[in-house]
């Protein structure tokens, strides 16, 4: 077989050479050199041709096959072909008494049309042209949908129970219990000052290219990028906790590469909360986008911001821990109770915890070693034993001055020891917008 040019291929199959010659003449005159043409005198030979073309990455746009041939019949051939190449447009050439075969091809091979022999030239060429038009229209639609997928997560189509993005309409929404994770780069504004606009975009894209697989590997997907922050959604809390482990490892490896290139290492902050989410499509008919709306989103974002204050890599709400079976907790992870917070404007008080991973660094290891003392000091703080609380926090800081949470509560305890809080004080910290 002569190697065709890398153009879409029209394949003709018939056991009579005179028929193949007629097809070749009519197709060449009508379509010219826009396509490559292949000819086979049996279904078996045609399958070999298809295999060779596939190995060379050449697409078959159309297959025109006779029905009655030695060996495999036309409808059987097209049915087998359809399983391997469903996109190819299929035309069956039949005798007057082969209607049953055409129906079989329609049902099992997505037959575009069947023509009876001898065919009318005008009818044949019109059928070929319309079939090729359909093929390229479908390819263009697939290309557009693939482009849309870069802006709207594929998972949205699944959650909204739609087969493709083209089926999604404005205003569609669904309610699901899911987990939300925010991850943000600390001190990003300072990093920006050291980079040109082009360098800042290259940096962000390189960074997101690293963290997105860590999120997807855990079973989640990125809903949106907000500056240097990413918001990810997970089906359950176990997935979100696994993502924290993945992200910590990813950032560690990323910083190793940055160090080798004499670049400043980065630190990230994460916040996770879980609860009912509304996932849907907002905007106007000419400009739509997917979005997630829920209190869980708001709190997860605030926890990410609070992680910076407490010097934590990741903060999670009590509900995350309550919803996750102990057997699902990733190995090597501990949690340290970090206090009670409330989002400004909301009545709910949320207990939060810091995620610690063994042997991350000296500061983290000391946090794990002093976890019992820290939580004891925090309980004394809530019980308004500010002097006793402050003493324990001081002891912790003697071992690690980098424990920002201990610093934070030491300052608060010393302040309240001098100026006691109001009678109804419960030690709740208010989280405001970042």
């Amino acid at each position: 077989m002569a190697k065709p040019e890398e153009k879409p291929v029209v394949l003709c199959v018939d056991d009579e050479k005179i028929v193949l010659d007629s097809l070749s003449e009519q197709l060449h005159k009508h379509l010219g050199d826009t396509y490559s043409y292949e000819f086979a005198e049996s279904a078996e030979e045609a399958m070999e041709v298809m295999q060779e073309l596939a190995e060379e990455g050449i697409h078959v746009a159309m297959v025109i096959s006779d029905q009655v041939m030695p060996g495999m019949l036309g409808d059987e051939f097209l049915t087998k072909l359809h399983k391997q190449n469903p996109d190819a447009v299929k035309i069956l050439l039949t005798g007057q008494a082969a209607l049953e075969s055409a129906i079989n091809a329609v049902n099992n091979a997505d037959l575009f049309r069947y023509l009876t022999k001898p065919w009318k030239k005008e009818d044949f060429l019109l059928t070929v042209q319309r079939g090729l038009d359909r093929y390229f229209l479908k390819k263009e639609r697939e290309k557009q949908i693939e482009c849309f997928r870069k802006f709207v997560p594929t998972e949205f189509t699944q959650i909204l129970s739609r087969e493709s993005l083209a089926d999604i309409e404005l205003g569609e929404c669904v309610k699901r219990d899911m987990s939300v994770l925010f991850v943000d780069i600390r001190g990003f504004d300072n990093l920006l000052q050291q980079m040109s606009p082009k360098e800042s975009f290259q940096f962000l894209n390189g960074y997101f290219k690293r963290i997105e697989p860590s999120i997807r590997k855990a079973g989640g997907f990125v809903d949106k990028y907000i500056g240097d922050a990413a918001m990810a959604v997970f089906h359950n809390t176990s997935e979100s906790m696994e993502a924290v482990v993945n992200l910590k490892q990813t950032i560690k490896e990323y910083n190793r590469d940055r160090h080798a290139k004499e670049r400043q290492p980065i630190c990230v902050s994460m916040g996770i909360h879980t609860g009912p989410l509304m996932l849907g499509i907002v905007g106007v008919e000419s400009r739509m986008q997917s979005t997630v709306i829920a209190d869980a989103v708001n709190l997860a974002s605030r926890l990410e911001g609070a992680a910076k204050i407490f010097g934590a890599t990741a903060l999670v709400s009590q509900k995350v821990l309550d919803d996750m079976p102990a057997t699902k907790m990733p190995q090597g992870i501990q949690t340290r109770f970090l206090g009670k917070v409330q989002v400004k404007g909301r009545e709910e008080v949320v207990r939060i915890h810091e995620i610690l991973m063994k042997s991350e660094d000296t500061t983290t290891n000391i946090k794990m070693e002093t976890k019992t003392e820290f939580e004891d000091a925090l309980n004394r703080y809530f019980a308004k034993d500010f002097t006793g609380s402050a003493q324990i926090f001081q002891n912790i800081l003697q071992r690690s001055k980098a424990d920002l949470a201990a610093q934070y509560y030491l300052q608060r305890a010393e302040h309240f020891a001098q100026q006691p809080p109001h009678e109804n004080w419960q030690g709740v910290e208010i989280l405001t917008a970042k």
Side-chain angles (χ1 to χ4, degrees):
M1 180 188 73
K3 183 177 179 180
E5 297 177 25
E6 293 191 6
K7 302 175 183 178
V9 170
V10 176
L11 172 62
C12 300
V13 189
D14 199 295
D15 62 321
E16 297 184 45
K17 191 173 185 308
I18 189 172
V19 174
L20 292 179
D21 290 342
S22 178
L23 290 171
S24 175
E25 180 184 1
Q26 292 180 19
L27 291 172
H28 276 92
K29 284 185 177 180
H30 183 70
L31 300 176
D33 61 359
T34 305
Y35 300 86
S36 291
Y37 305 94
E38 293 292 338
F39 302 93
E41 296 185 10
S42 70
E44 291 77 10
E45 182 184 347
M47 293 301 296
E48 293 178 4
V49 171
M50 292 285 294
Q51 179 64 33
E52 291 180 29
L53 292 172
E55 291 173 357
E56 295 177 16
I58 299 173
H59 300 286
V60 176
M62 175 175 286
V63 177
I64 303 169
S65 176
D66 186 23
Q67 167 60 17
V68 181
M69 298 181 289
M72 192 183 304
L73 296 176
D75 60 327
E76 298 174 31
F77 161 61
L78 293 180
T79 298
K80 187 175 182 179
L81 169 68
H82 182 68
K83 294 177 181 178
Q84 300 177 9
N85 192 341
D87 292 337
V89 176
K90 304 162 192 75
I91 297 173
L92 186 65
L93 305 178
T94 72
Q96 293 288 348
L99 180 60
E100 183 178 342
S101 301
I103 293 174
N104 180 53
V106 168
N107 293 333
N108 298 300
D110 189 27
L111 186 69
F112 178 67
R113 189 176 174 187
Y114 70 91
L115 298 171
T116 57
K117 290 182 175 181
W119 62 82
K120 294 181 180 180
K121 178 180 177 181
E122 295 77 9
D123 190 22
F124 169 72
L125 294 178
L126 181 61
T127 298
V128 168
Q129 189 61 61
R130 287 181 175 175
L132 292 172
D133 289 345
R134 187 180 87 158
Y135 173 82
F136 287 107
L137 182 62
K138 183 179 180 181
K139 286 298 180 183
E140 182 61 28
R141 186 168 181 258
E142 290 174 353
K143 184 177 179 181
Q144 291 176 353
I145 290 175
E146 186 61 33
C147 181
F148 293 154
R149 286 198 184 102
K150 297 177 181 179
F151 297 91
V152 179
T154 304
E155 288 81 359
F156 258 88
T157 63
Q158 300 169 351
I159 293 172
L160 295 174
S161 299
R162 293 292 180 267
E163 292 186 3
S164 73
L165 292 172
D167 299 324
I168 294 179
E169 297 181 358
L170 182 66
E172 289 193 59
C173 61
V174 66
K175 188 176 183 180
R176 291 282 189 276
D177 283 333
M178 304 182 79
S179 291
V180 181
L181 179 149
F182 275 83
V183 55
D184 192 18
I185 300 174
R186 293 186 190 176
F188 180 64
D189 289 343
N190 292 332
L191 281 174
L192 278 183
Q193 295 175 10
Q194 305 170 29
M195 296 183 283
S196 67
K198 183 178 180 179
E199 289 172 336
S200 64
F201 273 87
Q202 290 175 335
F203 164 74
L204 279 178
N205 289 331
Y207 162 72
F208 288 137
K209 187 176 181 179
R210 295 240 182 183
I211 68 168
E212 194 272 346
S214 298
I215 291 167
R216 190 169 294 279
K217 181 180 178 182
F221 64 93
V222 175
D223 172 62
K224 58 176 64 71
Y225 299 103
I226 312 164
D228 60 306
M231 172 186 161
V233 181
F234 301 84
H235 296 286
N236 54 61
T237 53
S238 298
E239 291 180 350
S240 62
M241 290 292 282
E242 182 182 341
V244 170
V245 175
N246 294 346
L247 288 167
K248 281 175 174 281
Q249 183 62 33
T250 295
I251 297 303
K252 182 178 180 180
E253 294 171 357
Y254 184 33
N255 281 333
R256 190 181 298 125
D257 291 344
R258 290 181 64 82
H259 176 74
K261 297 175 182 178
E262 298 184 347
R263 293 174 180 171
Q264 181 180 344
I266 66 168
C267 295
V268 300
S269 299
M270 292 178 265
I272 306 176
H273 186 50
T274 189
L277 310 180
M278 291 296 296
L279 301 95
I281 306 299
V282 297
V284 295
E285 292 291 347
S286 60
R287 178 66 173 88
M288 299 183 290
Q289 70 178 37
S290 61
T291 193
V292 179
I293 302 173
D295 283 342
V297 174
N298 187 24
L299 182 54
S301 175
R302 298 295 179 268
L303 291 182
E304 181 276 311
K308 299 181 178 73
I309 298 172
F310 291 119
T313 301
L315 294 184
V316 300
S317 65
Q318 180 69 48
K319 193 170 188 309
V320 170
L321 301 184
D322 290 342
D323 287 359
M324 185 173 60
T327 56
K328 294 291 186 178
M329 180 71 77
Q331 189 174 7
I333 274 189
Q334 287 188 22
T335 61
R336 182 172 76 157
F337 177 51
L338 220 55
K340 298 178 287 187
V341 300
Q342 184 179 22
V343 175
K344 187 174 183 180
R346 301 288 180 180
E347 295 183 0
E348 181 185 13
V349 174
V350 179
R351 295 169 66 87
I352 63 173
H353 302 260
E354 179 179 6
I355 302 300
L356 301 172
M357 288 180 62
K358 190 174 182 179
S359 299
E360 282 184 329
D361 51 58
T362 302
T363 300
T364 301
N365 289 337
I366 293 175
K367 285 182 179 181
M368 297 176 80
E369 293 168 5
T370 59
K371 171 186 172 181
T372 302
E373 295 95 316
F374 182 92
E375 292 180 346
D376 178 35
L378 206 51
N379 288 330
R380 289 172 181 266
Y381 174 79
F382 293 137
K384 299 183 181 179
D385 177 9
F386 300 117
T387 301
S389 173
Q391 182 59 56
I392 298 175
F393 285 130
Q394 286 175 348
N395 293 339
I396 292 172
L397 288 170
Q398 285 179 358
R399 295 191 59 183
S400 174
K401 294 181 180 180
D403 191 336
L404 297 187
Q407 290 182 25
Y408 178 86
Y409 280 112
L410 173 60
Q411 294 174 0
R412 302 285 282 172
E414 290 178 338
H415 170 76
F416 288 135
Q418 297 295 324
Q419 300 180 28
H422 58 77
E423 185 177 346
N424 296 325
W425 178 88
Q426 296 181 341
V428 177
E429 304 298 320
I430 306 297
L431 299 182
T432 57
K434 293 189 290 182

